[in-house]
Amino acid sequence: MISDQEETRMSQQPSVILATASYDHTIRFWEAKSGRCYRTIQYPDSQVNRLEITPDKRFLAAAGNPHIRLFDVNSNSPQPVMSYDSHTNNVMAVGFQCDGNWMYSGSEDGTVKIWDLRAPGCQREYESRAAVNTVVLHPNQTELISGDKMATSVPEVDTAVRSLTVMWDGSLVVAANNHGTCYVWRLLRGTQRIAFQTMTNFEPLHKLQAHKGYILKCLLSPEFCEPHRYLATASSDNTVKIWNVDGFTLEKTFKGHQRWVWDCFFSVDGAYLITASSDTTARLWNLSTGEDIRVYQGHHKATICCALHDGAEPGPS
């Protein structure tokens, strides 16, 4: 039974959650259409490396050094509702399982951790060979794929994997590195069984030389973008490029940021892209025209990560 207080809170909840974080030690929430900042959280303990919104839009996870803090999206309280503290270095990746009960994280301490949000502490830990830069959850909701600074699993040995992304149907995975290159693999359901589970196999598919500078984020388009399938690459060359996954041809180049573009996030229908840049701004781009239709200004230093949730909340299970 939903209480009156909970019902009131749900009715006040914005349908689009857009947040950014900056080296100015703040997290800002924005009205996506107007560009108005309606809430600022001071984050004095460290920089924020990654933001992620829970599937039910209730909480925002901020990955810092060396902690993860969970903030209530619908509260004005500056204090986190929970802190996760067992990493010992920068937390570079954070995300949630689709039911919102489990959180995963990856850190420069060389570990990937799994957290049950209904219980205290870390429930499982995996050791990596090197500092972890990126972690993604396979759409089967049971496998994690991580990328680290050794990158021995891709052809360019000792070139750090900066970013990973998986297609919504589990058909492709893309790894982007510091040389501006994307490696694409087809994901195949394997025959090898580990701990009673069939593990996914990787089949090399394509090498894409996307940028001359670093690729800081790569991202495949969501399900409701179908039948179009895009790959977005954000780079230290100040641009974001949109690639058609069918043939990996260049569709658009977004130019407007004045410095490195650190992060990007598709809208749920794939029609728009949010980007975050060292020029202190975040921008909203129209994929069909390639134009920036909104600039979010308010941070005083580099804006290095963003999070967007404009979809429906998952229904009760």
Side-chain angles (χ1 to χ4, degrees):
M1 187 72 179
I2 299 174
S3 68
D4 290 344
Q5 185 178 6
E6 185 75 7
E7 193 169 321
T8 301
R9 195 173 85 152
M10 288 170 68
S11 67
Q12 294 172 342
Q13 179 170 292
S15 60
V16 177
I17 311 297
L18 171 59
T20 58
S22 164
Y23 281 148
D24 65 11
H25 293 282
T26 66
I27 299 169
R28 289 177 177 264
F29 288 84
W30 306 87
E31 289 179 354
K33 288 185 178 180
S34 71
R36 184 181 74 89
C37 176
Y38 65 88
R39 181 185 176 192
T40 302
I41 298 173
Q42 300 296 323
Y43 203 95
D45 295 348
S46 77
Q47 80 278 7
V48 177
N49 302 306
R50 190 65 60 200
L51 293 173
E52 190 75 21
I53 300 162
T54 55
D56 62 6
K57 297 185 181 178
R58 290 184 60 195
F59 301 106
L60 175 75
N65 184 5
H67 44 255
I68 304 164
R69 301 271 161 80
L70 209 62
F71 293 92
D72 189 334
V73 166
N74 304 300
S75 165
N76 287 320
S77 171
Q79 300 303 318
V81 296
M82 189 66 68
S83 184
Y84 301 89
D85 300 315
S86 70
H87 281 298
T88 58
N89 206 329
N90 261 316
V91 183
M92 302 301 292
V94 65
F96 297 95
Q97 204 175 23
C98 64
D99 63 8
N101 290 329
W102 296 87
M103 180 174 72
Y104 59 88
S105 59
S107 167
E108 290 184 340
D109 65 14
T111 66
V112 174
K113 295 179 186 284
I114 297 177
W115 316 78
D116 186 340
L117 300 187
R118 301 158 296 183
C122 169
Q123 272 61 50
R124 190 167 295 181
E125 179 180 307
Y126 302 95
E127 293 282 342
S128 183
R129 301 152 303 182
V132 176
N133 290 330
T134 176
V135 182
V136 291
L137 178 63
H138 190 287
N140 64 21
Q141 301 293 305
T142 62
E143 292 178 274
L144 289 169
I145 306 169
S146 66
D148 60 37
K149 289 190 176 177
M150 282 179 62
T152 52
S153 62
V154 299
E156 293 181 52
V157 178
D158 298 327
T159 300
V161 172
R162 277 277 187 174
S163 181
L164 287 167
T165 180
V166 182
M167 185 62 80
W168 65 268
D169 61 0
S171 60
L172 298 176
V173 63
V174 180
N177 69 19
N178 281 347
H179 289 173
T181 310
C182 288
Y183 288 95
V184 186
W185 290 269
R186 184 180 285 114
L187 295 182
L188 304 172
R189 203 68 186 143
T191 55
Q192 182 183 15
R193 290 179 67 81
I194 300 175
F196 306 106
Q197 287 190 334
T198 303
M199 304 303 289
T200 298
N201 291 331
F202 291 65
E203 179 183 88
L205 181 65
H206 191 76
K207 177 184 176 181
L208 174 66
Q209 190 59 48
H211 296 267
K212 291 182 179 178
Y214 301 157
I215 299 176
L216 304 172
K217 179 68 176 286
C218 65
L219 189 64
L220 287 161
S221 56
E223 177 180 1
F224 297 110
C225 189
E226 295 288 318
H228 304 293
R229 292 189 166 202
Y230 299 118
L231 170 69
T233 55
S235 173
S236 62
D237 66 12
N238 305 352
T239 70
V240 178
K241 293 183 178 180
I242 306 297
W243 307 85
N244 190 324
V245 172
D246 182 16
F248 291 93
T249 53
L250 182 62
E251 290 274 325
K252 293 276 192 316
T253 300
F254 294 167
K255 296 180 179 179
H257 283 300
Q258 302 304 306
R259 300 186 68 183
W260 291 18
V261 186
W262 286 95
D263 201 4
C264 61
F265 217 106
F266 279 105
S267 62
V268 69
D269 60 1
Y272 301 95
L273 190 78
I274 293 282
T275 56
S277 169
S278 288
D279 66 12
T280 75
T281 70
R283 290 173 185 254
L284 175 66
W285 304 83
N286 183 315
L287 244 69
S288 63
T289 65
E291 296 179 351
D292 57 338
I293 56 177
R294 191 74 65 242
V295 179
Y296 304 94
Q297 294 179 297
H299 287 298
H300 305 299
K301 292 184 179 180
T303 303
I304 53 170
C305 53
C306 56
L308 174 70
H309 190 339
D310 62 330
E313 300 87 348
S317 55

